[in-house]
Amino acid sequence: MEPSNHIEPSLPKSRPRLSTSAGIFFIIILALLAFTWAVMPPRHFPKDTPFLVNKGDSIKRAAANLQAAGFIHSDLLFSIYARFTDKDKGVIAGIYVFDKPTNMFSMAEKMTKTGGSEPYVKVTIPEGSNNAEIAAILEKRIVNFSKEEFLTGTMELEGYLFPDTYHLSPYSSEDVIIDILRKNFNEKMKPLEPGIKQFGKPLSEVLIMAAIIEEEGKSPESKRMISDVLWKRLKDDMPLQVDVATSTYATTGLTPKPITNPGLESIQAAINPKPNPYWYYLSDEDGNFHYATSFEDHTANIAKYLK
């Protein structure tokens, strides 16, 4: 029998692999993406927040502190670039404040060439912030700030710390900040003094009411409407019954002190109530206000708009 010339087709031993050049290209793309991510500012960059570089801090320590505070993604990359930039001179001691998200390269350039020592930090205190909330805001902006000392110093000043945007020294003491907030309050009250005098209520009562209005109202119109309702209830010795101060459901009269620090709009509403026939009000889920002249109508509004 003659040998067969038939040859069986051979099967590939394994799947074809990517070429070496394609693999290298893929690795380069990944490296570039990682590098770009490391250089760009973090998503929650702490702008307007003072960052302190102490005298004698090494580049490595500064980089680690920057990463811990959320200014950069990679302390290692920052250290490498800073050493390349400063030629081993180190980072410049001082206070650095960035008013917008800043990439790692720009931060390293500033810290190794121009230095910090910013003259101020911008601090915004929203209307209706209570003293504890103000302390929490300041703690993030002021170097070595003590919430405990601030709250002790403002124990009797709830309502008298004016909510505004301030430019403060990053090294401001608690006493200095309190003084700045109080002086601003006094300045803002001066134009209102004739109106407060004409209204016939002491400033302490006006501020207590304004703080309630700040929390209860939304627009200037609703605040003035609420102001008239609450002053009428107070005059007739009716409980104010406001959700922002639960004690007003069980007792009559104002709260012992302001529950927050009201803004100018709420203080103006307190001394300029808009006369109306209503004794009750509520705000629906969309923030619209509904008023009633009787408890029965108010109950109907609750059933209609809140259930």
Side-chain angles (χ1 to χ4, degrees), residues 119-134:
Y120 65 82
V121 290
K122 184 171 71 173
V123 178
T124 298
I125 299 173
E127 296 176 345
S129 301
N130 60 38
N131 289 3
E133 290 168 336
I134 293 176

Side-chain angles (χ1 to χ4, degrees), residues 12-87:
K13 295 182 179 180
S14 61
R15 294 181 179 180
R17 298 179 180 178
L18 291 174
S19 66
T20 301
S21 59
I24 292 174
F25 178 76
F26 183 69
I27 292 172
I28 291 174
I29 292 297
L30 287 179
L32 286 174
L33 289 174
F35 180 78
T36 302
W37 172 84
V39 170
M40 296 302 292
R43 181 179 178 184
H44 300 293
F45 186 91
K47 64 178 183 178
D48 294 326
T49 299
F51 178 79
L52 175 64
V53 175
N54 290 301
K55 187 175 181 179
D57 278 359
S58 65
I59 290 177
K60 184 177 181 181
R61 176 180 288 276
N65 290 341
L66 281 168
Q67 181 174 329
F71 286 93
I72 58 175
H73 287 296
S74 171
D75 59 340
L76 176 61
L77 190 58
F78 181 93
S79 297
I80 294 172
Y81 183 76
R83 285 194 174 89
F84 173 79
T85 302
D86 77 339
K87 297 180 174 58

